[in-house]
Amino acid sequence: MEIDLSQFSQVFFEESLEGLENMESELLKLDINEPDDESINTIFRAAHSIKGGSATFGFTQVANYTHLLETLLDEIRDGRRQMTSEHQDILLLSVDLLRNMIDALMRKVEFDDPLLSQLEKRFTQELEQGSGITDKNDIIESDTAPASNELNWQIDFQAGTDILRCGNDPLLMFTELKQLGELTVKLADEEYPDFTDIDPEACYLNWHLELITDQKVERLREVFEWVEDECIIQYHSSGPDTAEVSAQQIPPAPPATGIAEPNCETKNSSDDTKKPKVVSQSKSPEAGSIRVSIEKIDLLINMVGELVITQAMLGQIGQQDEIDEESLLSMKQGLEQLASHTRDLQESVMQIRMLPISFAFNRFPRLVRDIGQQLGKKVDLILRGEDTELDKTVMEKIVDPMVHLVRNSLDHGLETPEIRLSKGKPETGSITLNAFHQGGNIIIEIIDDGAGLDTARILQKARDKGLVAEDEELSTEAIHQLIFKAGFSTADSVSDLSGRGVGMDVVRRNINELNGTIELQSTQDKGSRFTIRLPLTLAILDGQLVRIGKHTYVVPLVSIHESLQVEPQRINRISESHELIRLREEYLPVIKVFQEFDHEADATEIKDGLVMVVDSNNEKVGLLVDELLSQQQVVIKSLEANYSKVPGVSGATILGDGTVALIIDISGLVSLAGITNTNEHAA
């Protein structure tokens, strides 16, 4: 019976992607002039782990390529080769290439990228140039006169019984040892079980290896690090410097008869014993996994225990033949405890999905470095609030808008060193990513100290495109909001960074879909600040319940400014289907929700109902409703996944009485009502 390694491949993919992130992070902060040995070792271990894992699972293309990386890094860390900026560049390109290769493996498609052969050629040329073996005389001298620092290593390798079940092949390890020097392999004399007692999936072989090499014992151990917990390995050396014996012990092997469950563990170079991994069983590449701290799991278990105790108490009361006053009091107390424990359990479960925003921030050092080099700009990236936690789903969806904002700051915001110096600024600009909690939301700021927004140029571009009338006067804030219009761009030419007229409007739309908002502050020649406000999670919503006729809707609480009854003299009708209300110094359009959703309502006129003032794309609009009900947290259910997409509705929830309430999508409702600019009729 053959073991199916595909069940372990998802873990390999995830750990490989984590290893690539570590490689990229260490490469970006590496000082080429004075490279840190620990950073080089971290990069090497990540490449070595990916190579070993890919070879185990039969991903030959990945294994062959990472072998080239490993060889170069090994020479650098041993001092045989000097680290250069060219090495840094080719290794960063390799991180990108390996990500794409692993993505292709996850999607089970063939990987075909000309960059692979180009980088393989560059690695081969680099290794040949610095190999120290340039002609035949060198080879003869090397064979006949071994270096004085070479050791004769004797390695006793006793394989664990389950080594083959775990997908580890001793031949691959011997092949890697052979690359370190002159290797001789002999089969050790052992007693083997009778033929009838042999388990075809078990390994009963042991080897004696002799290796002449200048490598230290640490390098040899790396070859066997994937199996060191399930094998016995002893090292003896003779030579100028005699090393001590080192051994790894394993528990006694199970009997030969019968098939035991293999004790297989996929190891990673960065072992985190404090954080067990929860791996999704789905085979879909999009269904990833998260690391959950033991403290969170312990808290969750405690909450479940409290629920079980409360349930047992209520169950005992329910079994009584008669319910007296004392039992009713106990039941009431039990229900209160149940409500409290349920809230605590909900919070504990939500915490499991919370991840530090550093998972999103970590991709930006590479982005800023590459684009800065492309544009000839010097940039410092400052990260703050990296420990601020955010729901994993929200984080995945906010990354693309953040990437666009950072690229926009690099392209449009920051000036070249020459221009900055002429303005009296430091030649190196700065981009700051900052995250912090505020109330029930998370705030993400993208700040740059660049040129800021040129309001005169933006206004003229808007007039040229017909977005603003020639005689229309706008405030500075209103001009800034023009950059969020669809198709608006101030770029003079199209590039791969900007200038296609698709960008900031998509950013705002994506943020609105997360029930968030984006604000902009900018001062010319001082810089710009984009502030994104998001809910901590997409699973729970703080909402205001409203009644429209016989129907109950939920309005996101974060979008509500105020609710009021409007006096008739403050209402202006501008057309048969559009009315405005005057609220202090503003004129706001009012949407009659019952008309848009085709309901019968108690209040069909503004003066007879309540107007809820809400925010839509940083502009205010009124919603006409019959009655305000309670405020409460609601669990969001996807309407699109369970039914179909409905204009003006972002989801649904089930209320305490079992009825379904729809959650209003304010931006979608504004579009449904045909309102394109909420301030277009301001007096």
PDB file of all heavy atoms in Angstrom, residues 146-153 211-216 236-244:
ATOM      1  N   PRO A 146      44.700  16.857  -0.724  1.00  0.00           N
ATOM      2  CA  PRO A 146      43.538  17.354   0.002  1.00  0.00           C
ATOM      3  C   PRO A 146      43.907  18.545   0.870  1.00  0.00           C
ATOM      4  O   PRO A 146      45.023  18.639   1.385  1.00  0.00           O
ATOM      5  CB  PRO A 146      43.126  16.151   0.862  1.00  0.00           C
ATOM      6  CG  PRO A 146      43.761  14.960   0.207  1.00  0.00           C
ATOM      7  CD  PRO A 146      45.004  15.468  -0.404  1.00  0.00           C
ATOM      8  N   ALA A 147      42.960  19.442   1.020  1.00  0.00           N
ATOM      9  CA  ALA A 147      43.177  20.620   1.856  1.00  0.00           C
ATOM     10  C   ALA A 147      43.424  20.182   3.289  1.00  0.00           C
ATOM     11  O   ALA A 147      42.892  19.185   3.772  1.00  0.00           O
ATOM     12  CB  ALA A 147      41.959  21.539   1.783  1.00  0.00           C
ATOM     13  N   SER A 148      44.266  20.960   3.974  1.00  0.00           N
ATOM     14  CA  SER A 148      44.660  20.588   5.329  1.00  0.00           C
ATOM     15  C   SER A 148      43.501  20.636   6.311  1.00  0.00           C
ATOM     16  O   SER A 148      43.581  20.031   7.375  1.00  0.00           O
ATOM     17  CB  SER A 148      45.784  21.523   5.802  1.00  0.00           C
ATOM     18  OG  SER A 148      45.334  22.874   5.784  1.00  0.00           O
ATOM     19  N   ASN A 149      42.428  21.373   5.973  1.00  0.00           N
ATOM     20  CA  ASN A 149      41.314  21.480   6.912  1.00  0.00           C
ATOM     21  C   ASN A 149      40.223  20.458   6.651  1.00  0.00           C
ATOM     22  O   ASN A 149      39.147  20.531   7.237  1.00  0.00           O
ATOM     23  CB  ASN A 149      40.719  22.892   6.858  1.00  0.00           C
ATOM     24  CG  ASN A 149      40.150  23.231   5.493  1.00  0.00           C
ATOM     25  OD1 ASN A 149      40.444  22.544   4.520  1.00  0.00           O
ATOM     26  ND2 ASN A 149      39.342  24.281   5.432  1.00  0.00           N
ATOM     27  N   GLU A 150      40.464  19.470   5.777  1.00  0.00           N
ATOM     28  CA  GLU A 150      39.464  18.447   5.501  1.00  0.00           C
ATOM     29  C   GLU A 150      39.436  17.421   6.631  1.00  0.00           C
ATOM     30  O   GLU A 150      40.466  17.091   7.226  1.00  0.00           O
ATOM     31  CB  GLU A 150      39.745  17.749   4.173  1.00  0.00           C
ATOM     32  CG  GLU A 150      39.346  18.578   2.968  1.00  0.00           C
ATOM     33  CD  GLU A 150      39.431  17.774   1.681  1.00  0.00           C
ATOM     34  OE1 GLU A 150      40.104  16.719   1.698  1.00  0.00           O
ATOM     35  OE2 GLU A 150      38.840  18.189   0.670  1.00  0.00           O
ATOM     36  N   LEU A 151      38.234  16.930   6.920  1.00  0.00           N
ATOM     37  CA  LEU A 151      38.040  15.921   7.950  1.00  0.00           C
ATOM     38  C   LEU A 151      37.502  14.644   7.316  1.00  0.00           C
ATOM     39  O   LEU A 151      36.813  14.687   6.300  1.00  0.00           O
ATOM     40  CB  LEU A 151      37.056  16.418   9.020  1.00  0.00           C
ATOM     41  CG  LEU A 151      37.483  17.629   9.851  1.00  0.00           C
ATOM     42  CD1 LEU A 151      36.346  18.038  10.777  1.00  0.00           C
ATOM     43  CD2 LEU A 151      38.740  17.333  10.644  1.00  0.00           C
ATOM     44  N   ASN A 152      37.803  13.545   7.951  1.00  0.00           N
ATOM     45  CA  ASN A 152      37.266  12.253   7.528  1.00  0.00           C
ATOM     46  C   ASN A 152      36.126  11.917   8.487  1.00  0.00           C
ATOM     47  O   ASN A 152      36.359  11.516   9.632  1.00  0.00           O
ATOM     48  CB  ASN A 152      38.362  11.187   7.577  1.00  0.00           C
ATOM     49  CG  ASN A 152      37.899   9.885   6.942  1.00  0.00           C
ATOM     50  OD1 ASN A 152      36.715   9.555   6.966  1.00  0.00           O
ATOM     51  ND2 ASN A 152      38.845   9.132   6.389  1.00  0.00           N
ATOM     52  N   TRP A 153      34.905  12.098   8.012  1.00  0.00           N
ATOM     53  CA  TRP A 153      33.728  11.879   8.857  1.00  0.00           C
ATOM     54  C   TRP A 153      33.218  10.456   8.697  1.00  0.00           C
ATOM     55  O   TRP A 153      33.052   9.949   7.586  1.00  0.00           O
ATOM     56  CB  TRP A 153      32.605  12.854   8.474  1.00  0.00           C
ATOM     57  CG  TRP A 153      32.825  14.259   8.946  1.00  0.00           C
ATOM     58  CD1 TRP A 153      33.288  15.317   8.227  1.00  0.00           C
ATOM     59  CD2 TRP A 153      32.580  14.738  10.263  1.00  0.00           C
ATOM     60  NE1 TRP A 153      33.356  16.438   9.000  1.00  0.00           N
ATOM     61  CE2 TRP A 153      32.924  16.117  10.268  1.00  0.00           C
ATOM     62  CE3 TRP A 153      32.121  14.155  11.447  1.00  0.00           C
ATOM     63  CZ2 TRP A 153      32.814  16.906  11.399  1.00  0.00           C
ATOM     64  CZ3 TRP A 153      31.993  14.945  12.579  1.00  0.00           C
ATOM     65  CH2 TRP A 153      32.346  16.302  12.560  1.00  0.00           C
ATOM     66  N   LEU A 211      32.703  10.247   4.778  1.00  0.00           N
ATOM     67  CA  LEU A 211      32.688  11.492   4.001  1.00  0.00           C
ATOM     68  C   LEU A 211      33.952  12.287   4.282  1.00  0.00           C
ATOM     69  O   LEU A 211      34.262  12.596   5.446  1.00  0.00           O
ATOM     70  CB  LEU A 211      31.460  12.334   4.364  1.00  0.00           C
ATOM     71  CG  LEU A 211      31.345  13.699   3.688  1.00  0.00           C
ATOM     72  CD1 LEU A 211      31.144  13.548   2.183  1.00  0.00           C
ATOM     73  CD2 LEU A 211      30.207  14.516   4.303  1.00  0.00           C
ATOM     74  N   ILE A 212      34.697  12.596   3.235  1.00  0.00           N
ATOM     75  CA  ILE A 212      35.863  13.468   3.343  1.00  0.00           C
ATOM     76  C   ILE A 212      35.432  14.855   2.877  1.00  0.00           C
ATOM     77  O   ILE A 212      35.085  15.049   1.701  1.00  0.00           O
ATOM     78  CB  ILE A 212      37.039  12.946   2.496  1.00  0.00           C
ATOM     79  CG1 ILE A 212      37.452  11.544   2.960  1.00  0.00           C
ATOM     80  CG2 ILE A 212      38.215  13.906   2.574  1.00  0.00           C
ATOM     81  CD1 ILE A 212      38.527  10.906   2.105  1.00  0.00           C
ATOM     82  N   THR A 213      35.454  15.812   3.783  1.00  0.00           N
ATOM     83  CA  THR A 213      34.934  17.146   3.470  1.00  0.00           C
ATOM     84  C   THR A 213      35.560  18.171   4.398  1.00  0.00           C
ATOM     85  O   THR A 213      36.097  17.822   5.471  1.00  0.00           O
ATOM     86  CB  THR A 213      33.404  17.183   3.628  1.00  0.00           C
ATOM     87  OG1 THR A 213      32.923  18.486   3.321  1.00  0.00           O
ATOM     88  CG2 THR A 213      32.974  16.821   5.038  1.00  0.00           C
ATOM     89  N   ASP A 214      35.487  19.424   3.996  1.00  0.00           N
ATOM     90  CA  ASP A 214      35.954  20.508   4.862  1.00  0.00           C
ATOM     91  C   ASP A 214      34.796  21.141   5.644  1.00  0.00           C
ATOM     92  O   ASP A 214      34.972  22.154   6.314  1.00  0.00           O
ATOM     93  CB  ASP A 214      36.667  21.589   4.035  1.00  0.00           C
ATOM     94  CG  ASP A 214      35.761  22.186   2.963  1.00  0.00           C
ATOM     95  OD1 ASP A 214      34.609  21.704   2.823  1.00  0.00           O
ATOM     96  OD2 ASP A 214      36.190  23.126   2.270  1.00  0.00           O
ATOM     97  N   GLN A 215      33.615  20.526   5.519  1.00  0.00           N
ATOM     98  CA  GLN A 215      32.444  21.075   6.200  1.00  0.00           C
ATOM     99  C   GLN A 215      32.433  20.685   7.677  1.00  0.00           C
ATOM    100  O   GLN A 215      32.946  19.637   8.067  1.00  0.00           O
ATOM    101  CB  GLN A 215      31.159  20.585   5.535  1.00  0.00           C
ATOM    102  CG  GLN A 215      31.036  20.985   4.078  1.00  0.00           C
ATOM    103  CD  GLN A 215      30.902  22.490   3.920  1.00  0.00           C
ATOM    104  OE1 GLN A 215      30.129  23.128   4.627  1.00  0.00           O
ATOM    105  NE2 GLN A 215      31.667  23.055   2.992  1.00  0.00           N
ATOM    106  N   LYS A 216      31.775  21.553   8.484  1.00  0.00           N
ATOM    107  CA  LYS A 216      31.650  21.292   9.911  1.00  0.00           C
ATOM    108  C   LYS A 216      30.438  20.404  10.168  1.00  0.00           C
ATOM    109  O   LYS A 216      29.599  20.189   9.301  1.00  0.00           O
ATOM    110  CB  LYS A 216      31.514  22.614  10.674  1.00  0.00           C
ATOM    111  CG  LYS A 216      32.740  23.506  10.542  1.00  0.00           C
ATOM    112  CD  LYS A 216      32.546  24.805  11.319  1.00  0.00           C
ATOM    113  CE  LYS A 216      33.771  25.704  11.180  1.00  0.00           C
ATOM    114  NZ  LYS A 216      33.581  26.994  11.908  1.00  0.00           N
ATOM    115  N   HIS A 236      31.404  10.759  13.801  1.00  0.00           N
ATOM    116  CA  HIS A 236      32.767  10.652  14.329  1.00  0.00           C
ATOM    117  C   HIS A 236      33.681  11.274  13.276  1.00  0.00           C
ATOM    118  O   HIS A 236      33.465  11.104  12.076  1.00  0.00           O
ATOM    119  CB  HIS A 236      33.176   9.194  14.558  1.00  0.00           C
ATOM    120  CG  HIS A 236      32.186   8.408  15.367  1.00  0.00           C
ATOM    121  ND1 HIS A 236      32.275   8.280  16.726  1.00  0.00           N
ATOM    122  CD2 HIS A 236      31.079   7.714  14.992  1.00  0.00           C
ATOM    123  CE1 HIS A 236      31.270   7.539  17.166  1.00  0.00           C
ATOM    124  NE2 HIS A 236      30.524   7.179  16.129  1.00  0.00           N
ATOM    125  N   SER A 237      34.718  11.966  13.714  1.00  0.00           N
ATOM    126  CA  SER A 237      35.618  12.580  12.733  1.00  0.00           C
ATOM    127  C   SER A 237      37.059  12.332  13.121  1.00  0.00           C
ATOM    128  O   SER A 237      37.396  12.150  14.296  1.00  0.00           O
ATOM    129  CB  SER A 237      35.360  14.091  12.642  1.00  0.00           C
ATOM    130  OG  SER A 237      35.761  14.732  13.838  1.00  0.00           O
ATOM    131  N   SER A 238      37.928  12.331  12.117  1.00  0.00           N
ATOM    132  CA  SER A 238      39.373  12.267  12.323  1.00  0.00           C
ATOM    133  C   SER A 238      40.012  13.255  11.371  1.00  0.00           C
ATOM    134  O   SER A 238      39.588  13.404  10.231  1.00  0.00           O
ATOM    135  CB  SER A 238      39.899  10.850  12.066  1.00  0.00           C
ATOM    136  OG  SER A 238      39.624  10.455  10.736  1.00  0.00           O
ATOM    137  N   GLY A 239      41.009  13.984  11.850  1.00  0.00           N
ATOM    138  CA  GLY A 239      41.645  14.997  11.030  1.00  0.00           C
ATOM    139  C   GLY A 239      42.313  16.021  11.917  1.00  0.00           C
ATOM    140  O   GLY A 239      42.573  15.780  13.103  1.00  0.00           O
ATOM    141  N   PRO A 240      42.619  17.217  11.380  1.00  0.00           N
ATOM    142  CA  PRO A 240      43.300  18.245  12.163  1.00  0.00           C
ATOM    143  C   PRO A 240      42.535  18.600  13.435  1.00  0.00           C
ATOM    144  O   PRO A 240      43.136  18.807  14.485  1.00  0.00           O
ATOM    145  CB  PRO A 240      43.382  19.434  11.202  1.00  0.00           C
ATOM    146  CG  PRO A 240      43.270  18.823   9.841  1.00  0.00           C
ATOM    147  CD  PRO A 240      42.404  17.626   9.996  1.00  0.00           C
ATOM    148  N   ASP A 241      41.210  18.714  13.326  1.00  0.00           N
ATOM    149  CA  ASP A 241      40.391  19.040  14.484  1.00  0.00           C
ATOM    150  C   ASP A 241      39.383  17.935  14.663  1.00  0.00           C
ATOM    151  O   ASP A 241      38.533  17.721  13.800  1.00  0.00           O
ATOM    152  CB  ASP A 241      39.670  20.380  14.284  1.00  0.00           C
ATOM    153  CG  ASP A 241      40.664  21.508  14.136  1.00  0.00           C
ATOM    154  OD1 ASP A 241      41.592  21.569  14.940  1.00  0.00           O
ATOM    155  OD2 ASP A 241      40.487  22.309  13.181  1.00  0.00           O
ATOM    156  N   THR A 242      39.454  17.204  15.776  1.00  0.00           N
ATOM    157  CA  THR A 242      38.553  16.087  16.000  1.00  0.00           C
ATOM    158  C   THR A 242      37.285  16.582  16.665  1.00  0.00           C
ATOM    159  O   THR A 242      37.342  17.213  17.714  1.00  0.00           O
ATOM    160  CB  THR A 242      39.221  15.028  16.883  1.00  0.00           C
ATOM    161  OG1 THR A 242      40.418  14.609  16.249  1.00  0.00           O
ATOM    162  CG2 THR A 242      38.290  13.842  17.078  1.00  0.00           C
ATOM    163  N   ALA A 243      36.148  16.293  16.025  1.00  0.00           N
ATOM    164  CA  ALA A 243      34.864  16.736  16.571  1.00  0.00           C
ATOM    165  C   ALA A 243      34.322  15.696  17.531  1.00  0.00           C
ATOM    166  O   ALA A 243      34.655  14.520  17.462  1.00  0.00           O
ATOM    167  CB  ALA A 243      33.853  16.965  15.440  1.00  0.00           C
ATOM    168  N   GLU A 244      33.460  16.144  18.436  1.00  0.00           N
ATOM    169  CA  GLU A 244      32.846  15.240  19.389  1.00  0.00           C
ATOM    170  C   GLU A 244      31.739  14.439  18.715  1.00  0.00           C
ATOM    171  O   GLU A 244      31.174  14.840  17.710  1.00  0.00           O
ATOM    172  CB  GLU A 244      32.261  16.033  20.559  1.00  0.00           C
ATOM    173  CG  GLU A 244      33.330  16.751  21.374  1.00  0.00           C
ATOM    174  CD  GLU A 244      32.715  17.491  22.534  1.00  0.00           C
ATOM    175  OE1 GLU A 244      31.477  17.492  22.642  1.00  0.00           O
ATOM    176  OE2 GLU A 244      33.475  18.064  23.327  1.00  0.00           O
TER     177      GLU A 244
END
